[in-house]
Amino acid sequence: MKMTHRSLLSIYRTLLGHFGPQYWWPAKTEFEMLVGAILTQNTHWRNVEKALTNLSSHLEPHALLSLSQTDLSELIRPSGYYNQKAHRLLLFTRWLTETFESIEHAKQSKTCTLRASLLTLTGIGPETADSMLVYTFKKPVFIIDAYTRRIFSRLGYNVPVSYEAFRQQLETALGNHLSVELCNEFHALIVIEAKEFCKVKPHCLPCPLHKQCAYCKKQFRKISKFL
DNA sequence: CTCCAGGACAAGC
DNA sequence: GCTTGTCATGGA
């Protein structure tokens, strides 16, 4: 199916009409968003919330940097991958404070420059970078996650395997409709829709393009072990 | 007990 | 370039 701004906006309006605006990201401060974006990598949000609660008195760059990696990893234990994430959180926070005076200052950077800079950091991949760009730095980029791939595949779109190719496709189709507000709500609505769907029918529908869908490929690998 | 969640990375091909 | 193993917890 051809991807146009009309079809994308139609999907967007349908989701918005059904669920209403989500007003993401769920966090009290912008720094908490950034921490949450790293902690939620391949992890249930409820586990991230436990970690954020433990971190509550350290949710500020310098307070976080005052912790040793060992202490930090112990605090974020509930969010899983705690050794990796402690290391990555410190690397990221160090980068943030050393590169910019404040988050407000970081917002002044050009989108592509900031994105490229984020992607040089160990532990910040394309999805995490784009979440940070939209929700914290207020930049218009289309965030792609496993849910986005699955939903668009099942709607009959040709979903490129590469993150960049898929993102380009979506952003090009949206053209001048691409805005921070749309990127913010669209991603939040996709996540809400996916979670809602999973409650009803967890992983039951066959994907029409399972050869190209990253999610289904992952599932298929697991199944094929028993063949 | 098994399976999975809003990924990312490095080693191996 | 693409594929695979790894990282780890808590809840269903």
Side-chain angles (χ1 to χ4, degrees), chain A residues 56-226:
Chain A
S56 56
S57 57
H58 296 89
L59 286 176
E60 189 272 322
H62 290 97
L64 195 84
L65 290 174
S66 72
L67 291 167
S68 69
Q69 190 176 313
T70 315
D71 291 343
L72 180 56
S73 67
E74 208 46 47
L75 290 172
I76 63 170
R77 175 182 281 273
S79 71
Y81 309 118
Y82 50 87
N83 288 317
Q84 277 190 354
K85 284 175 179 175
H87 178 58
R88 292 169 179 188
L89 271 176
L90 290 176
L91 280 179
F92 170 77
T93 310
R94 246 173 250 141
W95 167 85
L96 184 68
T97 55
E98 285 167 13
T99 314
F100 306 102
E101 289 182 19
S102 67
I103 292 175
E104 215 54 42
H105 186 249
K107 292 178 190 173
Q108 311 296 322
S109 306
K110 282 177 63 179
T111 305
C112 55
T113 314
L114 193 52
R115 188 169 196 275
S117 186
L118 280 166
L119 289 176
T120 64
L121 298 170
T122 309
I124 311 292
E127 190 199 328
T128 308
D130 288 346
S131 292
M132 291 175 166
L133 286 169
V134 171
Y135 294 107
T136 305
F137 301 115
K138 322 297 182 197
K139 304 294 186 187
V141 292
F142 204 106
I143 304 165
I144 293 162
D145 62 353
Y147 294 155
T148 312
R149 291 185 169 283
R150 200 168 72 199
I151 287 175
F152 278 95
S153 291
R154 286 179 178 161
L155 286 173
Y157 291 95
N158 182 33
V159 173
V161 179
S162 119
Y163 186 100
E164 278 313 302
F166 192 22
R167 189 171 72 92
Q168 282 305 318
Q169 198 178 107
L170 289 159
E171 293 186 0
T172 303
L174 280 167
N176 59 358
H177 293 90
L178 187 76
S179 67
V180 195
E181 297 74 24
L182 182 134
C183 291
N184 180 322
E185 285 298 335
F186 212 144
H187 177 66
L189 288 164
I190 285 172
V191 174
I192 292 294
E193 160 60 33
K195 287 184 175 173
E196 185 76 13
F197 172 76
C198 286
K199 280 186 204 165
V200 188
K201 261 185 175 305
H203 318 306
C204 282
L205 289 187
C207 174
L209 294 170
H210 72 274
K211 294 279 184 187
Q212 298 165 47
C213 167
Y215 174 80
C216 292
K217 270 161 71 179
K218 193 172 171 182
Q219 297 301 316
F220 188 74
R221 271 211 304 277
K222 289 179 188 171
I223 297 167
S224 24
K225 288 178 187 171
F226 303 102

